[in-house]
Amino acid sequence: MATIKDVAKLAGVSASTASRALHDSNMISEATKERVRKAMAELDYSPNYAAQNLVNRKTNTVGIVLPVRENQDSLGNNPFFMQIIQGISSICSENDYMVSLATGRSNEELQKNVQTLIRSGNIDKLIFLYSKKGDPIFDYVKQQKVSCVVVGQAYDALTDHIQYVDNNNFQAGYDAAVFLGQKGYHNIVYAYTDLEELVQAERYEGYQSYIKQQGLRDHHLGLSRVDNRANLEKLQSFLAKNPEIEAFIACDDIQAIRLQRLFKEADIANNRYALLGFNNSLITEIANPSLTSVDIFPQELGEEAANLLLKKILQESQTLIIPHQIIERESTASIK
Amino acid sequence: MATIKDVAKLAGVSASTASRALHDSNMISEATKERVRKAMAELDYSPNYAAQNLVNRKTNTVGIVLPVRENQDSLGNNPFFMQIIQGISSICSENDYMVSLATGRSNEELQKNVQTLIRSGNIDKLIFLYSKKGDPIFDYVKQQKVSCVVVGQAYDALTDHIQYVDNNNFQAGYDAAVFLGQKGYHNIVYAYTDLEELVQAERYEGYQSYIKQQGLRDHHLGLSRVDNRANLEKLQSFLAKNPEIEAFIACDDIQAIRLQRLFKEADIANNRYALLGFNNSLITEIANPSLTSVDIFPQELGEEAANLLLKKILQESQTLIIPHQIIERESTASIK
């Protein structure tokens, strides 16, 4: 494998000049840098990062911290994480950074893995793909000298100096309700699976804000992720008590498809209620009727998190908001 | 941070003994190793991997090579990759290995990223999450001194010494057809989107093998991933020409849901045809009727790939097959 000396010789400069050119030093002219770059390309030269890491105490890897998964499916079935990781990877690749992952089946395992990453000396930049209050792993990382960006909500925005990238889920819930209102629907239900989950709760609060503004009635319906029988009974009794219902905002696309299935089981025409989901996932096109859904652009969340971390873009606010967009399909035709 | 000397002192052994114990040397008794391990735990000691990497030319990171993604969604919408990565991560974590990712939007970018990983000196073990004929990236990796396991089909099984982990998609397609046969269905269609994709083609060949054995007629129907209008016309004309059709094997769950939607659009009762998919994804439960599907256990694929790479388990065959399993739901009730 070629050394920096080979590069220097081919470029007709000293080894120290080649090294400075390689590190983009201001002391070296653009013309010389170009000569060195050409020689590097010709010799297929790659600097020995590991050796440099020891000397510089600087590294070229970004670590991604995934949330703890309680069961096998929880992450795998959420296409978000893969899309966010893709976004991060593509920006890292452009900037010649490598990407490492920290995962865990428990808080303890995840913390151990994050510690290993940091102590290995290979990582000094991390992106968290979750945020939660009082997270010991996040607290540990803040104590270390590690640059950090969080994809998620800024809980401690006033006390820490970390940057956040997030959707505005409150606004997304509000906009979904406004969209249905403009289509002529006034009796709208928010259907969720777990309001302890921040994203579901925020979308609900956005919905509530619109409902209050308009002097409408707040309807909400919790459905189980597993028990279809109980869901059917719950839905039927809910609709019997609230015959004025015209539309549903589901906490995500999976929940919307669950509702379509329940409508069918309850012998309700598939266009009886307007229906809207979140995530704009692949199933929205296949749903019947095809599903209007709010796209929240997970790949962009990842890209912007990596941009903030690598390019140290200055921004006024601590949280960079990735805009959402309602993708209109058949499930929200204007009221008849 | 604690050093190996601190560990040695607490364990009451010399630094070189502590270091040998740490590296699991045969020269050190199990009792001493246990004492050193306890001291390490007490002092929260972590060896300086980066320094060791330079000395030993050995590293503690497994690199995962993802397939090139031609568009934003291709990987993100496939929960497999995330599940395989989870499987790899959990085994790596148990063995104190870190995980790095190589991704790319083009072959060139992916190759560059794989080269960077290898040359950085941090990686000497790779897991490919794809296999394709004549892949220049795979050829490059084989030339380097990098241990390698492939999740996918063994094309060059005779010429290389690489281990493969895969499902038997031929057998899965065959078993799906047998399953429907036992339920009383004899006029079965294989519905695909792209037979150039190896997995779809292998499942089709498995189906064909059963069909031939039984002296039945081979029916296959290609549907578009995007053009729903064309799909509806194609399905209707296909069913008009082949009124004997009783059941569909879809190349994956998404295709099965696509068929359910088309049946609905064509005013066909949702239990008119038996229907079976592959992947056992989240939507199988929500489908109406709920979808019988062949689980192929992606997390296990990842776990076994990592096991092969890290534990160097000897095995007779070059390909370790992860068994599949048919998960029976409503969509394949016995023939009326």
Side-chain angles (χ1 to χ4, degrees), chain B residues 129-150:
Chain B
L129 296 199
Y130 69 94
S131 71
K132 68 180 185 201
K133 273 181 191 157
D135 179 34
I137 299 165
F138 192 50
D139 289 342
Y140 166 80
V141 166
K142 283 197 285 187
Q143 287 161 21
Q144 312 294 312
K145 283 177 182 165
V146 179
S147 311
C148 190
V149 169
V150 177

Short mmCIF file of all heavy atoms in Angstrom, two decimals, chain B residues 129-150:
data_model
loop_
_atom_site.label_atom_id
_atom_site.label_comp_id
_atom_site.label_asym_id
_atom_site.label_seq_id
_atom_site.Cartn_x
_atom_site.Cartn_y
_atom_site.Cartn_z
N LEU B 129 -24.84 -7.84 3.48
CA LEU B 129 -26.27 -8.12 3.57
C LEU B 129 -26.89 -8.31 2.19
O LEU B 129 -28.08 -8.11 1.99
CB LEU B 129 -27.00 -7.01 4.33
CG LEU B 129 -26.61 -6.84 5.79
CD1 LEU B 129 -27.67 -6.06 6.55
CD2 LEU B 129 -26.39 -8.19 6.48
N TYR B 130 -26.06 -8.69 1.23
CA TYR B 130 -26.58 -9.01 -0.10
C TYR B 130 -25.54 -9.89 -0.78
O TYR B 130 -24.38 -9.94 -0.35
CB TYR B 130 -26.82 -7.75 -0.94
CG TYR B 130 -25.54 -7.04 -1.33
CD1 TYR B 130 -24.92 -7.30 -2.55
CD2 TYR B 130 -24.94 -6.14 -0.46
CE1 TYR B 130 -23.73 -6.67 -2.90
CE2 TYR B 130 -23.76 -5.51 -0.80
CZ TYR B 130 -23.16 -5.77 -2.03
OH TYR B 130 -21.98 -5.16 -2.35
N SER B 131 -25.96 -10.58 -1.84
CA SER B 131 -24.97 -11.24 -2.68
C SER B 131 -25.43 -11.06 -4.12
O SER B 131 -26.61 -11.18 -4.42
CB SER B 131 -24.85 -12.73 -2.32
OG SER B 131 -26.00 -13.42 -2.74
N LYS B 132 -24.53 -10.68 -4.97
CA LYS B 132 -24.89 -10.66 -6.39
C LYS B 132 -23.70 -11.07 -7.22
O LYS B 132 -22.54 -10.95 -6.79
CB LYS B 132 -25.47 -9.30 -6.81
CG LYS B 132 -24.52 -8.15 -6.82
CD LYS B 132 -25.27 -6.89 -7.28
CE LYS B 132 -24.26 -5.75 -7.40
NZ LYS B 132 -24.86 -4.43 -7.34
N LYS B 133 -24.00 -11.59 -8.41
CA LYS B 133 -22.95 -12.13 -9.27
C LYS B 133 -22.01 -11.03 -9.73
O LYS B 133 -22.44 -9.95 -10.11
CB LYS B 133 -23.58 -12.81 -10.48
CG LYS B 133 -23.93 -14.27 -10.22
CD LYS B 133 -24.53 -14.93 -11.45
CE LYS B 133 -25.11 -16.29 -11.07
NZ LYS B 133 -26.13 -16.75 -11.98
N GLY B 134 -20.71 -11.33 -9.70
CA GLY B 134 -19.72 -10.41 -10.27
C GLY B 134 -19.69 -9.06 -9.58
O GLY B 134 -19.46 -8.04 -10.22
N ASP B 135 -19.92 -9.02 -8.27
CA ASP B 135 -19.93 -7.76 -7.54
C ASP B 135 -18.49 -7.29 -7.31
O ASP B 135 -17.72 -7.95 -6.63
CB ASP B 135 -20.65 -7.97 -6.20
CG ASP B 135 -20.69 -6.70 -5.36
OD1 ASP B 135 -20.80 -5.61 -5.94
OD2 ASP B 135 -20.64 -6.82 -4.12
N PRO B 136 -18.10 -6.12 -7.84
CA PRO B 136 -16.72 -5.66 -7.70
C PRO B 136 -16.34 -5.39 -6.24
O PRO B 136 -15.18 -5.54 -5.85
CB PRO B 136 -16.68 -4.37 -8.52
CG PRO B 136 -18.10 -3.93 -8.66
CD PRO B 136 -18.92 -5.18 -8.62
N ILE B 137 -17.33 -5.02 -5.43
CA ILE B 137 -17.04 -4.72 -4.03
C ILE B 137 -16.67 -6.01 -3.30
O ILE B 137 -15.72 -6.07 -2.53
CB ILE B 137 -18.26 -4.04 -3.36
CG1 ILE B 137 -18.54 -2.74 -4.11
CG2 ILE B 137 -18.03 -3.80 -1.89
CD1 ILE B 137 -19.90 -2.15 -3.83
N PHE B 138 -17.42 -7.05 -3.57
CA PHE B 138 -17.15 -8.34 -2.95
C PHE B 138 -15.79 -8.87 -3.43
O PHE B 138 -15.01 -9.41 -2.62
CB PHE B 138 -18.28 -9.31 -3.31
CG PHE B 138 -18.26 -10.58 -2.52
CD1 PHE B 138 -18.17 -10.56 -1.14
CD2 PHE B 138 -18.35 -11.81 -3.16
CE1 PHE B 138 -18.16 -11.74 -0.41
CE2 PHE B 138 -18.35 -12.99 -2.44
CZ PHE B 138 -18.25 -12.95 -1.07
N ASP B 139 -15.49 -8.69 -4.71
CA ASP B 139 -14.20 -9.13 -5.24
C ASP B 139 -13.05 -8.39 -4.55
O ASP B 139 -12.04 -8.97 -4.19
CB ASP B 139 -14.13 -8.90 -6.76
CG ASP B 139 -15.04 -9.89 -7.50
OD1 ASP B 139 -15.40 -10.91 -6.89
OD2 ASP B 139 -15.37 -9.63 -8.66
N TYR B 140 -13.24 -7.08 -4.36
CA TYR B 140 -12.22 -6.28 -3.67
C TYR B 140 -11.98 -6.82 -2.27
O TYR B 140 -10.84 -7.00 -1.83
CB TYR B 140 -12.66 -4.81 -3.63
CG TYR B 140 -11.86 -3.97 -2.67
CD1 TYR B 140 -10.60 -3.48 -3.02
CD2 TYR B 140 -12.35 -3.67 -1.40
CE1 TYR B 140 -9.86 -2.72 -2.14
CE2 TYR B 140 -11.62 -2.91 -0.51
CZ TYR B 140 -10.38 -2.43 -0.88
OH TYR B 140 -9.64 -1.69 0.00
N VAL B 141 -13.08 -7.10 -1.57
CA VAL B 141 -12.98 -7.54 -0.18
C VAL B 141 -12.26 -8.89 -0.10
O VAL B 141 -11.45 -9.12 0.80
CB VAL B 141 -14.38 -7.62 0.46
CG1 VAL B 141 -14.36 -8.40 1.76
CG2 VAL B 141 -14.92 -6.21 0.70
N LYS B 142 -12.55 -9.77 -1.08
CA LYS B 142 -11.89 -11.09 -1.06
C LYS B 142 -10.38 -10.97 -1.21
O LYS B 142 -9.63 -11.79 -0.70
CB LYS B 142 -12.48 -11.99 -2.15
CG LYS B 142 -13.85 -12.55 -1.74
CD LYS B 142 -14.25 -13.75 -2.59
CE LYS B 142 -14.71 -13.32 -3.97
NZ LYS B 142 -15.27 -14.44 -4.75
N GLN B 143 -9.92 -9.94 -1.93
CA GLN B 143 -8.48 -9.74 -2.11
C GLN B 143 -7.80 -9.25 -0.83
O GLN B 143 -6.61 -9.44 -0.63
CB GLN B 143 -8.22 -8.72 -3.23
CG GLN B 143 -8.48 -9.26 -4.62
CD GLN B 143 -8.66 -8.13 -5.62
OE1 GLN B 143 -8.22 -7.02 -5.39
NE2 GLN B 143 -9.33 -8.43 -6.72
N GLN B 144 -8.56 -8.55 0.02
CA GLN B 144 -8.00 -8.05 1.27
C GLN B 144 -8.00 -9.19 2.28
O GLN B 144 -8.64 -10.20 2.09
CB GLN B 144 -8.85 -6.89 1.82
CG GLN B 144 -9.18 -5.82 0.80
CD GLN B 144 -7.96 -5.08 0.31
OE1 GLN B 144 -7.15 -4.65 1.10
NE2 GLN B 144 -7.83 -4.96 -1.00
N LYS B 145 -7.27 -8.99 3.37
CA LYS B 145 -7.28 -10.01 4.41
C LYS B 145 -8.40 -9.71 5.39
O LYS B 145 -8.17 -9.27 6.52
CB LYS B 145 -5.93 -10.07 5.10
CG LYS B 145 -4.91 -10.80 4.25
CD LYS B 145 -3.54 -10.82 4.87
CE LYS B 145 -2.58 -11.54 3.94
NZ LYS B 145 -1.18 -11.30 4.31
N VAL B 146 -9.61 -9.95 4.95
CA VAL B 146 -10.78 -9.59 5.73
C VAL B 146 -11.65 -10.84 5.85
O VAL B 146 -11.99 -11.45 4.84
CB VAL B 146 -11.57 -8.46 5.04
CG1 VAL B 146 -12.81 -8.10 5.82
CG2 VAL B 146 -10.69 -7.24 4.85
N SER B 147 -11.99 -11.22 7.09
CA SER B 147 -12.94 -12.31 7.26
C SER B 147 -14.31 -11.82 6.83
O SER B 147 -14.64 -10.66 7.04
CB SER B 147 -13.04 -12.77 8.71
OG SER B 147 -11.78 -12.97 9.25
N CYS B 148 -15.10 -12.72 6.30
CA CYS B 148 -16.30 -12.27 5.62
C CYS B 148 -17.39 -13.34 5.70
O CYS B 148 -17.12 -14.52 5.51
CB CYS B 148 -15.90 -11.98 4.18
SG CYS B 148 -17.12 -11.17 3.23
N VAL B 149 -18.60 -12.91 6.04
CA VAL B 149 -19.78 -13.78 5.97
C VAL B 149 -20.82 -13.04 5.13
O VAL B 149 -20.94 -11.82 5.22
CB VAL B 149 -20.33 -14.10 7.37
CG1 VAL B 149 -21.69 -14.78 7.29
CG2 VAL B 149 -19.36 -14.99 8.14
N VAL B 150 -21.55 -13.79 4.31
CA VAL B 150 -22.55 -13.18 3.44
C VAL B 150 -23.94 -13.66 3.86
O VAL B 150 -24.15 -14.87 4.02
CB VAL B 150 -22.31 -13.55 1.96
CG1 VAL B 150 -23.40 -12.98 1.07
CG2 VAL B 150 -20.93 -13.06 1.51
#
